[in-house]
Amino acid sequence: MLHTSCLEISTSAYFQNIEFIRSRIGTGPTISSVVKGNAYGHGIAQMVPIAEKAGIHHFSTFSSDEAWEVLESSSQKNEIMIMGMLHPEEIPDLIRREIQFFVFDFERLEHAIETAKTLGLKAQIHVEVETGFHRTGFEWADRKKLLEILQNNESALELKGLCTHYAGAESAQNHIRIRSQIGRFKEFHQFFTENQIQFERLHTACSAATLLFPETHMDLVRVGITGYGFWPTRETFNLLKDQRPLENRNPLKRLLTWKTQIMSLKKVESGEFVGYGKSFQASQDMTLAILPVGYSHGYGRNLSNNGKVLISGQYCPVIGTVNMNAVAVDVSHLAKTSPGDEVILIGYQGENEITVASFAETSDLINYEMLTRLPAQIPRKIRD
């Protein structure tokens, strides 16, 4: 089956990114590859084997369905950790398959304990504590009740980790808050240690914290966007460059190239409107290339009269409104174009590049949003 576009995923780029991360954290901490959001749009089924080749054997997911997909994609013995949603009825199978999961409220913790006792097995859990993010995690005021439950149910629990999540480590405006969170996490750890509760790993670091706060490396770092070659924000790169000089301008390499092809060509006379509505009127005679991608493929409407693609190594602007399944680009300046010519939506062609960030100038989160909106149906092809 042929598709209107494809994504190419670079193995060598991933290896380079992991090597850079390892150079920052040393040999001690485990790197957990965060593959939530279909591996940030890159594809769980594609990324797990690549990560295994890079020596990664720990994977973090948001939900249980992603965890099962990691398990199905694995060819080696890996640790799988669910950080968010799971269905209570799945807990028996999760315990049997030794899939780890966060507990951040008493209901899930008690359900895990009861299920483990029924099975005669141990639930592999990570205790998430609230340090200031205010999304999930046991509150400081609940620490004594939590301690008592952990102490009384050692036979049913394997304490794989004590963890928390930071509230925006990628931005300097949040760093006072992050410092406070680090302090509160240390207080939780000290409290449990003083009461003879030991965890296999301490882990708090996302990509930004991994890069900017060395004290958060602990036993494991949860690396998401950085592993795929993107900085959490431009500010993260600037902060790191100021704090710990980089050997080159950008040590990260993006894995993803998004390609399509010209579907057809259209001549438009001066004064004519292009596409739906009147968002674009030709000021001169033009030649347009029609591409078989649109917002249903993850090429957002915000790129209407704003985006660019690469054809024959040259930038070609998007003309008119992005449709559900098609977009028009101006190729009037190109010497020759034909249906079937390669079009780069993200990535390099010749000496020029279309970056994910260039899709809009409106939000630091555009990398995350754009990547995770890439439909799973687009084929992902692995290259060296």
Side-chain angles (χ1 to χ4, degrees), residues 73-91:
S73 304
S74 298
S75 62
Q76 303 176 22
K77 177 66 175 178
N78 297 312
E79 293 183 78
I80 304 171
M81 179 174 72
I82 302 170
M83 302 182 291
M85 180 64 186
L86 59 82
H87 299 280
E89 58 268 29
E90 291 181 291
I91 289 181

Side-chain angles (χ1 to χ4, degrees), residues 312-326:
S312 300
Q314 298 186 52
Y315 292 108
C316 300
V318 172
I319 298 300
T321 302
V322 173
N323 303 171
M324 180 185 293
N325 301 107

Side-chain angles (χ1 to χ4, degrees), residues 3-7 258 260 291-300 322-327 345 359 370-380:
H3 291 258
T4 63
S5 67
C6 72
L7 297 168
W258 189 10
T260 186
L291 313 181
V293 295
Y295 56 78
S296 70
H297 306 98
Y299 199 87
V322 173
N323 303 171
M324 180 185 293
N325 301 107
V327 62
L345 304 174
F359 275 63
M370 180 63 202
L371 290 168
T372 56
R373 289 178 181 177
L374 292 171
Q377 291 80 7
I378 299 177
R380 273 85 170 157

